[in-house]
Each structure stands twice: as C-alpha cells, then as structure tokens.
Amino acid sequence: MRTIRKCVICGCCKQKVEVPIMLSRYLGATGLDNRPCNEAELPVVQKCSRCGYCNFSIEGEISDKTRKVIASEEYQRHIKRVSDDEYGDKLQAMLLYLQSIQSRIYVYLLLCWHYEWKKDIEMAGEMRRHAVQQMELAFRTESEIRVEEILIYIDCLRQLGRFEEAKETVESIETEVCKNLAEDQLLFQVYRYQKTLIEKRDAFAHTVAEV
C-alpha cells in the first residue's frame, strides 16, 4: 500500500487536519472471506486529531446523530484511552456510530483479520461471530442478497467450525448457483471448493488462488 499525508476538512468538527490518504493497494490473492493478502493492505482509517472522528474518509457531511455520538462521553473515552492498538481502536470507534448493516459487516471483518494478524485468536473469533450475526440480520431484512455475500457468510461459518450451518447454507443455494453460474466462473469454483472444505471439516483460512 502507498499512502501520503494531506490536509482535509473534518466533516464532524469542520477543522483542518492532516490525515493519511491511500494512493494504491495491492490486493493479491484474497481469502475466501475477502481478507487481503497481507496486513499492510488493510484500508487506511483516518482520525481527526481535533474531535476524534474516525472513518475511512473523514471528509464530507455527517448526520447530527453521528456528530452527537462522536461528542458523547462513551465515544470520547474510547478514542482517548491509552492503547498500543491504534488501528483496532479506530475501527471499534466506528462501530459506535455506524448504522448501515453492510458497513458494520465490513468493519467487523476488518477487525477479525486485524486480530488474526496480531495472533489474538479469541478476539478474531469474536469479531467474526459479530460479522456473521450482522450478515444474518441482512439476510432477514434486505431484499437482494448477492451470491458473493452468501459465499463469504459460508466461509465465516466454516472458519468458526460451524460446519452443519455452513453445509445447510451451501445446499440452500445449490439450485441457484448451478442455474445462474457457469462452471468456469470463479464464483462457481469458490462454491464448489467451499463444499469440499466443509465435507473435510476444514476450518482453516484459504485463498482464492487455491480454488
């Protein structure tokens, strides 16, 4: 990943602050759950040095509701605490105000991968379970769910060792996958690979390159 530092106007406090800007990322062979190939390719999370607002980009207008959360005692206590895990703390801070289910899923997955690279398996598992809960909420409330999203859900279940649930989900989309995807398409190959991994009760992380 290549980054530079740039002055921007914070969308929360309207002050001018300097933040890192991502210029490029090398994704390489991502995991079956979309995990980047290495920790350095995780997206930059910006933080306003004045008000503590954290986001992938702190520019742009935010709602009064979000601004109120950022000004709250809970948020400020979290963002000002002494810690050696700045990246994880910024992502956790975002969860205090994020309302979008898809955004919450993404942040929980980022936290999961971050903790995996830090060798904190307990926290990684907890974040993956939270991501799964948000995915299940999305499946119940959103009208359109893409096959890619279901495959990531299946991979998360598998990595959590929830093989029966993963198998049931794989079987539930088999007709749709076989009907709408050609065998040479990557998504079909990922689907087929997931079936094999589940049958073997393999809970390890795997990449798209293995498919």
Side-chain angles (χ1 to χ4, degrees), residues 1-206:
M1 178 192 296
R2 293 180 59 230
T3 62
I4 59 171
R5 297 195 66 82
K6 179 182 177 181
C7 287
V8 301
I9 302 299
C10 173
C12 180
C13 66
K14 306 303 181 184
Q15 298 297 308
K16 189 175 182 179
V17 293
E18 187 178 81
V19 294
I21 303 287
M22 182 174 62
L23 293 181
S24 63
R25 292 171 67 194
Y26 171 71
L27 295 179
T30 60
L32 296 181
D33 60 354
N34 263 5
R35 187 175 86 160
C37 60
N38 60 68
E39 186 177 11
E41 302 309 320
L42 289 173
V44 167
V45 180
Q46 299 175 353
K47 174 185 174 181
C48 176
S49 57
R50 301 293 185 88
C51 68
Y53 173 42
C54 297
N55 207 332
F56 301 115
S57 171
I58 63 171
E59 294 182 273
E61 288 296 320
I62 64 172
S63 68
D64 290 338
K65 184 176 181 180
T66 298
R67 187 173 285 108
K68 183 178 291 187
V69 172
I70 293 164
S72 70
E73 182 180 344
E74 180 185 11
Y75 185 98
Q76 290 299 317
R77 184 171 60 249
H78 172 87
I79 207 65
K80 291 177 181 177
R81 67 181 182 178
V82 177
S83 169
D84 61 354
D85 184 18
E86 183 183 7
Y87 190 80
D89 287 347
K90 289 189 290 187
L91 289 172
Q92 293 277 9
M94 290 173 62
L95 288 169
L96 294 175
Y97 69 79
L98 285 175
Q99 298 295 313
S100 161
I101 296 174
Q102 294 300 328
S103 295
R104 293 180 69 81
I105 290 170
Y106 182 52
V107 170
Y108 275 126
L109 285 175
L110 287 175
L111 281 165
C112 171
W113 304 330
H114 170 65
Y115 289 127
E116 284 177 344
W117 275 308
K118 285 177 67 66
K119 308 300 182 185
D120 190 338
I121 304 305
E122 184 176 341
M123 280 297 291
E126 181 180 341
M127 295 302 108
R128 193 178 292 279
R129 285 190 289 274
H130 282 307
V132 164
Q133 291 172 353
Q134 293 293 308
M135 291 176 199
E136 291 171 344
L137 178 59
F139 297 160
R140 292 194 300 269
T141 58
E142 296 183 2
S143 57
E144 291 186 12
I145 304 296
R146 297 176 300 156
V147 172
E148 298 96 310
E149 296 174 76
I150 300 176
L151 289 173
I152 291 173
Y153 172 66
I154 290 168
D155 194 69
C156 286
L157 289 175
R158 184 186 59 77
Q159 290 200 52
L160 288 169
R162 293 160 60 174
F163 298 111
E164 294 307 315
E165 293 172 76
K167 181 181 177 182
E168 289 175 10
T169 308
V170 161
E171 292 173 349
S172 73
I173 65 171
E174 184 171 9
T175 300
E176 182 182 351
V177 168
C178 293
K179 179 181 177 181
N180 297 310
L181 298 176
E183 291 191 12
D184 61 348
Q185 287 184 267
L186 180 59
L187 287 179
F188 185 92
Q189 294 169 0
V190 169
Y191 168 80
R192 185 169 55 193
Y193 189 48
Q194 286 286 12
K195 287 183 68 175
T196 301
L197 294 173
I198 292 165
E199 288 169 3
K200 294 179 178 178
R201 302 184 75 81
D202 183 335
F204 292 103
H206 293 273

